[in-house]
Amino acid sequence: MHSKVVIIGSGPAAHTAAVYLARAELKPVLYEGFMANGTAAGGQLTTTTDVENFPGFPKGIMGQELMDNMRAQSERFGTEIVTDTVTTLDLSSRPFKYSTEFAPTESHTADAVIVATGASARRMNLVGEDKYWQNGISACAVCDGAVPIFRNKPLYVIGGGDSAAEEATFLTKYASHVTVLVRRDQLRASRTMANRLLAHPKTTVRFNTVATEVRGGEDGLMSHLVVKDTQTGQEEVVEANGLFYAIGHDPATALVKGQLKMDEENYIVTEPGTTLTSVAGVFAAGDVQDKRYRQAITSAGTGCMAALEAEKYLADREMDVRDDDRES
């Protein structure tokens, strides 16, 4: 099967790109994956509960419902959605070639590709982590910090870098107090961020301390955290209604490793202000190329950019073909 443009991904970036491309009559094919990277179709939003900061929903909306709506909108305009995972992608020649998990022997081609495979928050694999994920445990303070279950409650952050310092400082707007757990005896954060965190009246930094277990109450929400001193081995149960991971994300870029330019953390590098990658005709949108903002709305924005740039690329390519035909 040959397509003018293929989208790999299933989150806000992918579906926004699909809507724009479908309305432009480019008949996009979107591969939403089948538990790709361990995440259900719809991306990271499917693991969240209330989404309160996506415009247009004054009362908030559930993450799964938001992604279901985006998927339905993509289909409404004619996007072909395939529930299969792209497992190989060859960008060395044109048209680009790819195959999928369920049909590995079948080769498909596309003139343009939008990579919107996202990034996954690193987890700690603590006892109780799966049970209380999104019921007290989160990997995004900006996304979830204002949720009612965290307001005026003791919250904990794991991490020692700038992200941890930023998230802890942000959470002080809502928490009764924020405690940062740092495995080592010092912060990795920049001096400015570290000083700001240490000086804040609503934050405490506990060095040489790790979390080992998350506990909760009958309401199904997190209520306590077991922490351990790494020097003495002594454990302590502390009251904690929220635990925020600030230990990094892993972009889903294995598919294009060695083919597209990436940074030291394996995020796809795009030309500033665009979604253009190091290979013409390949565009990157969403968290796979964004390690700073990582918000649904910014992902959707880059999905729009990728669609418009892919549309222009295809139009320019078609014009070049026509010019070659005239000359011959």
Side-chain angles (χ1 to χ4, degrees):
M1 179 180 74
H2 178 77
S3 307
K4 285 186 176 180
V5 57
V6 161
I7 304 164
I8 307 173
S10 62
H15 283 296
T16 302
V19 168
Y20 274 78
L21 290 167
R23 293 184 75 248
E25 301 293 337
L26 289 172
K27 298 179 173 57
V29 178
L30 184 152
Y31 286 87
E32 64 179 1
F34 184 77
M35 293 304 294
N37 303 302
T39 303
Q44 292 295 299
L45 277 183
T46 62
T47 68
T48 67
T49 51
D50 290 329
V51 178
E52 298 185 321
N53 56 2
F54 199 90
F57 301 94
K59 295 182 180 180
I61 184 171
M62 298 295 284
Q64 183 66 64
E65 183 183 2
L66 178 58
M67 291 317 306
D68 288 344
N69 288 348
M70 289 191 188
R71 190 181 193 278
Q73 190 172 6
S74 294
E75 287 189 308
R76 175 195 167 198
F77 290 111
T79 300
E80 180 183 347
I81 298 178
V82 182
T83 306
D84 198 353
T85 303
V86 175
T87 52
T88 67
L89 178 62
D90 182 359
L91 304 177
S92 64
S93 61
R94 287 173 173 71
F96 304 123
K97 300 179 181 67
Y98 66 94
S99 62
T100 66
E101 181 179 5
F102 296 156
T105 60
E106 295 181 17
S107 182
H108 306 285
T109 57
D111 294 323
V113 175
I114 294 177
V115 181
T117 45
S120 301
R122 293 174 189 157
R123 294 202 180 191
M124 301 287 295
N125 297 316
L126 304 179
V127 176
E129 180 180 282
D130 290 340
K131 182 176 181 179
Y132 296 106
W133 190 262
Q134 291 304 325
N135 287 305
I137 305 177
S138 169
C140 182
V142 174
C143 310
D144 302 325
V147 173
I149 63 171
F150 298 132
R151 288 183 177 271
N152 301 311
K153 300 291 177 60
L155 306 179
Y156 279 68
V157 174
I158 294 178
D162 280 348
S163 294
E166 289 176 4
E167 298 223 342
T169 303
F170 176 83
L171 288 169
T172 59
K173 300 176 182 180
Y174 312 106
S176 59
H177 195 82
V178 179
T179 302
V180 181
L181 303 181
V182 182
R183 176 184 292 272
R184 305 192 304 174
D185 60 358
Q186 62 183 350
L187 291 165
R188 292 182 292 103
S190 63
R191 178 175 296 181
T192 299
M193 291 302 303
N195 290 341
R196 187 179 303 167
L197 175 65
L198 293 168
H200 200 289
K202 290 180 69 176
T203 63
T204 298
V205 178
R206 294 185 59 169
F207 295 103
N208 301 308
T209 307
V210 296
T212 60
E213 181 182 353
V214 180
R215 299 178 182 176
E218 295 181 357
D219 58 0
L221 299 176
M222 175 183 175
S223 61
H224 292 82
L225 183 67
V226 180
V227 299
K228 182 174 76 172
D229 187 305
T230 58
Q231 294 184 317
T232 66
Q234 183 176 353
E235 290 192 334
E236 176 188 359
V237 179
V238 296
E239 183 181 356
N241 294 93
L243 177 63
F244 291 80
Y245 291 173
I247 55 175
H249 289 69
D250 293 316
T253 51
L255 186 66
V256 293
K257 189 172 183 179
Q259 301 188 84
L260 296 179
K261 182 180 179 181
M262 299 182 195
D263 67 11
E264 66 282 357
E265 296 177 72
N266 291 321
Y267 284 84
I268 297 174
V269 173
T270 54
E271 292 184 19
T274 78
T275 62
L276 304 179
T277 70
S278 56
V279 174
V282 181
F283 310 86
D287 290 3
V288 76
Q289 53 84 54
D290 172 23
K291 59 184 177 184
R292 180 177 181 183
Y293 299 106
R294 298 195 299 267
Q295 300 297 302
I297 192 65
T298 52
S299 289
T302 55
C304 169
M305 292 166 60
L308 295 176
E309 287 169 344
E311 182 181 358
K312 181 180 185 302
Y313 169 80
L314 292 170
D316 290 346
R317 188 170 180 275
E318 187 174 332
M319 187 66 70
D320 290 341
V321 171
R322 288 176 180 174
D323 289 344
D324 290 343
D325 290 342
R326 289 195 190 99
E327 291 176 2
S328 60

